[in-house]
Amino acid sequence: MSGNPEQTYRDVVMGRRSIRGYLDKPVPRALIEEVLEMAMRSPTSMNTQPWHFHVITGEPLDAIRRGNTERILAGEPDSREFRRGEPFAGVHRDRQVGVAKQLFGAMGIARDDKEARQDWVLRGFRQFDAPVCVIVTYDKELSGSDDTPFDCGAVTTALVNAAWSRGLGCVINSQGIMQSPVVREHAGIPDNQVIMKAVAMGWPDETFPANAVVSTRKSVEEAARFVGFD
Ligand SMILES: Cc1cc2nc3c(=O)[nH]c(=O)nc-3n(C[C@H](O)[C@H](O)[C@H](O)COP(=O)(O)O)c2cc1C
């Protein structure tokens, strides 16, 4: 079995972090099936299980990487299929900038080094050169309900934790689906599914500096209110 069988649930969730550098080593299909099986124990609204996983490797994944990169460099606008709301402001913007500073700091990318920053962004569009990419989609007929993206988020978090428990790293990302028509074409995603998110997956490269970044969290005290406890 891959991963550390001694790990507790706490070890997995507290130890997991997003992985953005991978070894050039294939991931066995049976292992991916196992982590998907674990992830799919996630609860969903009325047990609807609206999700689908398109697990891509090899030439189709390379075609997606090429298509994404070409379209982005050609200035093609974002064609993601989910609502994005307003640009982040206030504390949300601060957190976004905070993690970016941690990542750029680890990678030694200076603030004014446009070329290195562009390389970093393009790396995301190439799915961080991971050997596997999982595209998470949902049934279009359920797209009117906020429960549906909620359920996809739950299963995707469970997926990255299940993968971590088996020694695999992941990064959930929106960059990989920036050019959703490219993904739809090369992954053969049917029109009755909405493309929600990408998950890059593979064996972590322990020498890749950004993989060591531990992002911060607000405290339980800041996030939670307890009512009726006293
Ligand atoms: C919905 C979602 C979208 C994300 N999109 C990206 C992305 O496009 N590129 C990227 O490098 N990381 C992306 N991430 C990873 C987050 O930056 C990361 O989860 C966050 O900074 C916390 O760090 P951690 O996962 O290491 O705990 C995304 C994560 C989520 C949940």
Side-chain angles (χ1 to χ4, degrees):
M1 187 200 281
S2 61
N4 173 2
E6 304 294 315
Q7 279 186 112
T8 64
Y9 178 76
R10 185 179 170 86
D11 293 336
V12 172
V13 295
M14 300 304 275
R16 184 213 58 83
R17 49 197 188 274
S18 287
I19 294 300
R20 298 179 175 87
Y22 297 90
L23 299 180
D24 184 14
K25 178 180 161 190
V27 182
R29 177 175 165 162
L31 182 58
I32 303 172
E33 285 173 348
E34 189 205 340
V35 296
L36 282 170
E37 185 187 25
M38 287 194 272
M40 286 168 60
R41 293 309 303 170
S42 298
T44 52
S45 172
M46 311 285 176
N47 203 23
T48 44
Q49 304 168 63
W51 54 59
H52 301 269
F53 307 96
H54 303 266
V55 186
I56 311 162
T57 192
E59 177 46 34
L61 180 53
D62 286 339
I64 291 173
R65 294 190 229 272
R66 282 194 301 272
N68 273 342
T69 305
E70 279 162 17
R71 286 172 66 134
I72 282 147
L73 290 176
E76 193 79 30
D78 177 353
S79 53
R80 287 178 286 194
E81 299 177 0
F82 58 88
R83 293 179 304 142
R84 296 181 62 202
E86 297 300 315
F88 296 138
V91 69
H92 302 117
R93 174 74 182 151
D94 292 345
R95 292 185 191 132
Q96 178 188 21
V97 170
V99 75
K101 275 189 182 163
Q102 281 184 283
L103 291 167
F104 286 147
M107 295 301 296
I109 299 173
R111 198 185 158 80
D112 55 0
D113 188 343
K114 281 193 180 147
E115 203 177 317
R117 288 173 86 101
Q118 164 88 335
D119 275 356
W120 179 257
V121 172
L122 288 175
R123 186 180 178 80
F125 293 124
R126 294 196 311 270
Q127 284 302 278
F128 307 88
D129 300 327
V132 174
C133 171
V134 182
I135 302 295
V136 181
T137 68
Y138 62 81
D139 293 317
K140 200 176 231 172
E141 64 186 292
L142 298 182
S143 60
S145 167
D146 287 341
D147 275 338
T148 306
F150 184 94
D151 292 344
C152 288
V155 79
T156 308
T157 298
L159 176 63
V160 298
N161 282 325
W164 190 265
S165 78
R166 290 291 181 265
L168 287 170
C170 296
V171 57
I172 303 171
N173 68 90
S174 301
Q175 282 179 283
I177 53 166
M178 186 80 125
Q179 300 293 335
S180 286
V182 169
V183 177
R184 191 175 285 286
E185 180 193 338
H186 294 292
I189 296 173
D191 288 340
N192 63 355
Q193 294 177 24
V194 177
I195 297 177
M196 185 72 220
K197 214 56 74 181
V199 182
M201 182 186 279
W203 304 105
D205 177 353
E206 306 292 352
T207 68
F208 189 75
N211 287 349
V213 167
V214 177
S215 58
T216 61
R217 292 294 184 275
K218 61 180 170 183
S219 65
V220 171
E221 210 172 44
E222 277 180 276
R225 286 179 61 243
F226 293 84
V227 181
F229 275 80
D230 299 329

